[in-house]
Amino acid sequence: MIFLRRIKSWLPLLLHRPCFTQKTAATSGLVHAASRGSPPQLRPFSLSACVLMNPDDFSCNSVAAGEDQDVPGDSEVDEIFQQQVPAGVGEGQRIFIVHPDVKWGSRKQHLTTAELMMAEAVGLVNTLDNWTVVDQLILSTKTPEKKRIFGKGNFQYLTEKIRQTGGITAVFVNVERLSALSEREFEEAWGVKVFDRYSVVLHIFRCNAKTKEAKLQISLAEIPLLRSRLKNEMANLDQQGGGSRYISGSGETLYEVQQRLLKEREAKIRSALEKLRRKRLLLRSQRKHREFPVVSVLGYTNCGKTTLIKALTGDSGLQPRNQLFATLDVTVHAGQLPSHMTVLYVDTIGFLSQLPHQLIDSFSATLEDIKHSDLLVHVRDISHPETENQRVNVFRVLKNLQIPDRLMSSMIEVHNKIDLIDSYECVNPDVIPISALEGRGLDKLRKAVEEEILKSTGKQVLALRVDLSSHQLSWLYREATVQDVQVNADEGSAVVKVIISNAAYGRYNKQFGSKLKTGL
């Protein structure tokens, strides 16, 4: 009977094998999902929306119709997303959190404390609807790499503590990733579901994913969880003498069938993501053709990136949330610098300490847009007790992503939430202190962004003499950033101060010729 129940739990994967059809996806631009509210909505790590102050300047919908032919539709993506939901998603949980405190060795954390790491774990659980922290325990360990993580005495103490705490439905072991063997060992000892940081973060992502790309990336990141669950299911069946049985007529064991289906599922997801990646490349090339400078805003989760972009752009559609991972999909928003030059601010997924590499890999394709930015702005929550550790973790992820040196060296560091610190003083002259919520320090930040953009893009500040009887002036308004116009009515001309790229200036010279005003 137990064997049959195990088989039944896998029937959706055995019998329901989705595939992508060749029908055209009805995509009229990708949807921006970034607002605070209930239920939680998350937006990762992918360019999936463009929101501009002037839609006529640039539109995500300008992709040629033929480019959408192979993009998977919403129904195909939802079919994959809902096909194999890991256990615990969508269910209320009463959580006991245990944090292994490594006292020495290579795994000891030097820039944080066990108490702060426990606080972050509590924050992750509280992000999920209907999940409640019942109790928490910091327990020292000398052997974090062992199957049970803790020594015999501490493990026995922990087991008794869990059993004596009423109402627990799951235990959250605050480590990056538990092996399938450890997970099975803990569940057998404690009699409840066991989560690690990988599974908890993925639960948060799944509950908040709205766009196709986010759903596919999450489905890809869930493959290791499904494989781990498969190993545990098969191990239990082996103990009952059923795990090695062959599926009738197939010549394959149940385990081999499941492994093959998971591989096929993974291949389909990767194929769909590749199609979306190609579309994103087209959008990127369109932005490059329009010569909009791109500023990627990044930082630790919940540092205030979305609030800052809303303050810089005035985009009323942005509704920041005081929540971990409130941004899943990378979104793009237009704003103006003091010179009236338009730039595109890219809102990226928040980083996290001990974020599993497999999870980063699943979302790494969407972080390609960071590499192709003209400038990076690193936002830090300077009021957070772990702000220095958070900075280190952000730089570690950027290093793993192999961000170009030119971007790392020109990156602007912003200290946000200074309104939460009494008498804040910034000792580093290269850092810009701000309060995105109150709008303090934003003018200085805009000027710094403009200076770096001019350096990185090679744009020039020029004064051009134009003939008002021609369409030179309208051309400059269309192709460059016009800062000032001084009209000479007697001569029928004007001196126009512009910010213009080398390429645009070359086109201007070729079409009109130019007279450069001296002194600039």
Side-chain angles (χ1 to χ4, degrees), residues 98 148 150 155 158-160 162-163 171-173 178 185-194:
V98 56
R148 290 189 170 185
F150 304 99
F155 184 78
L158 173 61
T159 300
E160 292 174 357
I162 291 171
R163 289 174 176 173
V171 174
F172 174 14
V173 183
L178 288 172
E185 186 87 10
F186 291 155
E187 290 184 350
E188 289 176 354
W190 302 333
V192 294
K193 179 66 183 172
V194 174

Side-chain angles (χ1 to χ4, degrees), residues 1-10 232-243 245 254:
M1 182 62 68
I2 294 177
F3 174 75
L4 291 177
R5 285 202 299 267
R6 299 294 188 187
I7 293 289
K8 185 178 179 181
S9 72
W10 282 94
N232 287 338
E233 294 282 354
M234 293 302 106
N236 289 335
L237 287 176
D238 284 340
Q239 291 174 3
Q240 300 162 33
R245 295 182 183 179
L254 176 62

Side-chain angles (χ1 to χ4, degrees), residues 374-400:
D374 296 297
L375 178 66
L376 303 182
V377 174
H378 176 202
V379 183
R380 291 176 58 186
D381 176 359
I382 203 62
S383 69
H384 197 283
E386 282 196 285
T387 183
E388 184 59 30
N389 187 43
Q390 291 178 355
R391 185 189 71 83
V392 171
N393 280 300
V394 167
F395 273 79
R396 182 180 296 120
V397 174
L398 292 176
K399 181 179 179 181
N400 291 338

